[in-house]
């Protein structure tokens, strides 16, 4: 077995922590880089007993010099609450982070994967969304710092590939949930579970008829690793998400049912530019990666509820 050296930026975050663990379990040496803006040391501290795991406090908006074989670039706050807290910093993280990590990949000849997002499709007018859809993003709206930052990062990845031969992979991740989400993360699954477990009101934004397609984190990590190891010359972008689509109201009802909570559903204003519908077309992931999601919403929610019972 070859022990690869792998850098995971944003490694102390929700997705990054699962990815670090999986890569370590596969026998690799893993460098977990994070500035701890939304990530938490406790997500990865149990990995420190493995001598092949290292934590690096660093901000991707600054250059860094390391020797690795692969880079997974995940650093970026993902919850609207956190990415809108300092929109300029969010944009810098996506754009300067991409430039710094691509520059590093070029210098050390590493393969590099970008964690892009379904948000590149904005409030989509095509449903479900294939990778060929260019999207419907408001460039000056509240979500623009994230959406346009991620779109620019995709552009930079493709430009570094075409101009400098950097070996790239781009994954477009759809709404993902699971253990290690921060209880204060602000995204819908963690909010609803935390509210339900405390018998607090469940806050549905708008009328709750907007839809999302929820993917369990283990399925995502499998898709990321398959894409990193996909055939030479294929870089995507490729959608990775669970096509089972639910309204936000259905999600609230499911969480109440699975937790046995006494919570009531209350309605709050819908944030501006909140996409009305979202569902991945995963034909490309099936064809190129032989990947499809294995965990259904009930199974994944039960595991996530168990996790949150332990942290709140
Ligand atoms: P998260 O907020 O839990 O993790 C992001 C991590 O990046 C955190 O540990 C944070 O501290 C770190 N970080 C932020 N800015 C940084 C900076 N400037 N320098 C270094 N570290 C920094 O979010 P997540 O859900 O784990 O998302 C991981 C990646 O996947 C993000 O790039 C996100 O955009 C992408 N993504 C996630 C989802 C999802 O549903 N979880 C969907 C689409 C895309
Ligand atoms: N949402 C909600 N209540 C909450 C948090 C979010 O109704 O407490 C809604 C939000 O308006 C959106 C959906 O749930 O329509 C998903 O929101 P999230 O922030 O998880 O992800 P994104 O909008 O980025 O897909």
């Amino acid at each position: 077995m070859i022990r690869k050296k792998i850098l995971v930026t944003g490694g102390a975050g929700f997705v990054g922590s699962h990815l670090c663990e999986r890569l370590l379990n596969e026998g690799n040496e893993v460098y977990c880089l994070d500035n701890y803006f939304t990530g938490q040391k406790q997500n990865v501290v149990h990995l420190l007993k493995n001598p092949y795991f290292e934590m690096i406090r660093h901000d991707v908006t600054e250059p860094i010099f390391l020797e690795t074989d692969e880079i997974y670039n995940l650093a970026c706050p993902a919850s609207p609450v956190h990415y809108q807290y300092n929109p300029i910093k969010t944009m810098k993280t996506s754009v300067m982070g991409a430039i710094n990590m691509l520059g590093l990949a070029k210098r050390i000849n590493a393969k590099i994967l970008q964690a892009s997002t379904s948000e590149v499709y904005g409030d989509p007018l095509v449903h479900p969304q294939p990778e060929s859809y260019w999207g419907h993003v408001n460039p000056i709206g509240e979500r623009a710092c994230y959406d346009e930052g991620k779109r620019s990062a995709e552009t930079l990845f493709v430009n570094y590939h075409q101009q400098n031969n950097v070996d790239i992979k781009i994954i477009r991740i759809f709404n993902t949930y699971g253990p290690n989400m921060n209880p204060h993360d602000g995204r819908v699954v963690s909010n609803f579970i935390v509210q339900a477990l405390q018998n607090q009101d469940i806050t549905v934004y708008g009328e709750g008829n907007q839809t999302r397609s929820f993917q369990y984190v283990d399925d995502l990590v499998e898709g990321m690793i398959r894409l990193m190891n996909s055939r030479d010359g294929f870089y995507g972008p490729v959608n990775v998400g669970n096509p089972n689509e639910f309204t936000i109201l259905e999600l609230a009802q499911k969480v109440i049912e699975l937790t046995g909570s006494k919570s009531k559903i209350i309605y709050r204003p819908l944030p501006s530019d909140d996409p009305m519908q979202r569902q991945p077309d995963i034909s490309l992931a099936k064809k190129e990666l032989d990947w499809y999601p294995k965990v259904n919403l009930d199974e994944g929610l039960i595991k996530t509820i168990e996790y949150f019972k332990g942290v709140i």
Side-chain angles (χ1 to χ4, degrees):
M1 194 212 71
I2 305 162
R3 188 186 300 282
K4 287 187 284 197
K5 291 193 170 103
I6 305 179
L7 171 64
V8 179
T9 78
F14 157 52
V15 175
S17 57
H18 289 273
L19 180 63
C20 286
E21 183 158 355
R22 168 82 189 265
L23 293 170
L24 271 179
N25 287 343
E26 289 181 353
N28 299 296
E29 181 159 350
V30 175
Y31 306 133
C32 166
L33 181 155
D34 212 292
N35 71 349
Y36 304 110
F37 173 42
T38 51
Q40 313 171 82
K41 280 190 187 165
Q42 71 203 52
N43 283 343
V44 282
V45 79
H46 63 289
L47 304 177
L48 278 172
K49 55 183 182 289
N50 187 324
Y52 293 104
F53 181 68
E54 275 179 50
M55 288 167 78
I56 305 164
R57 178 186 285 271
H58 182 79
D59 194 306
V60 290
T61 59
E62 303 290 338
I64 189 163
F65 300 101
L66 294 165
E67 292 282 338
T68 66
D69 303 300
E70 294 176 355
I71 302 170
Y72 288 83
N73 188 36
L74 274 62
C76 185
S79 165
V81 183
H82 296 295
Y83 71 62
Q84 287 165 17
Y85 171 74
N86 184 344
I88 297 172
K89 176 68 193 228
T90 299
M91 192 105 189
K92 278 188 181 172
T93 295
S94 276
V95 175
M96 294 167 66
I99 292 171
N100 287 328
M101 290 307 132
L102 284 161
L104 177 65
K106 177 184 165 192
R107 183 171 186 255
I108 63 177
N109 211 11
K111 195 170 8 169
I112 179 165
L113 178 146
Q114 168 66 1
S116 189
T117 169
S118 52
E119 282 289 315
V120 300
Y121 303 122
D123 191 2
L125 304 178
V126 170
H127 193 75
Q129 295 81 53
E131 290 83 353
S132 54
Y133 178 48
W134 288 354
H136 181 229
V137 172
N138 175 0
I140 54 167
E142 280 175 13
R143 298 170 83 99
C145 60
Y146 183 76
D147 300 7
E148 299 291 13
K150 289 285 188 179
R151 286 169 69 97
S152 304
E154 285 198 9
T155 309
L156 284 160
F157 267 68
V158 172
N159 291 157
Y160 269 77
H161 172 65
Q162 290 170 345
Q163 206 174 320
N164 294 323
N165 250 333
V166 174
D167 196 354
I168 62 157
K169 307 280 177 186
I170 302 172
I171 185 169
R172 289 187 181 153
I173 303 169
F174 283 65
N175 296 64
T176 305
Y177 67 95
N180 294 4
M181 290 184 96
N182 190 318
H184 307 290
D185 181 82
R187 279 176 283 184
V188 69
V189 175
S190 47
N191 270 10
F192 285 2
I193 293 177
V194 169
Q195 290 162 345
L197 289 177
Q198 300 179 117
N199 294 315
Q200 292 168 352
D201 292 341
I202 306 249
T203 53
V204 167
Y205 301 159
E207 290 170 19
N209 53 5
Q210 70 273 36
T211 68
R212 294 293 186 274
S213 306
F214 298 102
Q215 149 172 258
Y216 188 65
V217 64
D218 289 357
D219 284 330
L220 169 60
V221 167
E222 178 68 31
M224 292 179 111
I225 292 175
R226 283 183 186 229
L227 176 59
M228 183 62 106
N229 295 297
S230 60
R231 67 179 168 86
D232 283 350
F234 175 74
Y235 60 80
V238 58
N239 290 338
V240 170
N242 191 322
N244 290 323
E245 187 180 359
F246 295 86
T247 67
I248 295 305
L249 197 54
E250 283 171 334
L251 177 73
Q253 285 156 348
K254 211 175 247 303
V255 169
I256 291 176
E257 183 191 311
L258 292 174
T259 50
S261 171
K262 299 191 187 64
S263 296
K264 293 192 306 293
I265 292 173
I266 59 164
Y267 295 89
R268 290 277 171 269
L270 188 69
S272 67
D273 296 339
D274 200 289
M276 271 314 290
Q277 53 180 1
R278 189 181 283 156
Q279 188 198 99
D281 176 333
I282 58 167
S283 329
L284 186 64
K286 279 188 177 151
K287 175 172 168 271
E288 285 291 344
L289 312 178
D290 191 22
W291 176 93
Y292 57 92
K294 300 217 164 103
V295 183
N296 69 35
L297 186 60
D298 281 41
E299 273 174 89
L301 284 178
I302 289 167
K303 291 185 193 187
T304 311
I305 290 165
E306 279 313 303
Y307 168 78
F308 277 111
K309 278 185 185 163
V311 294
I312 56 173

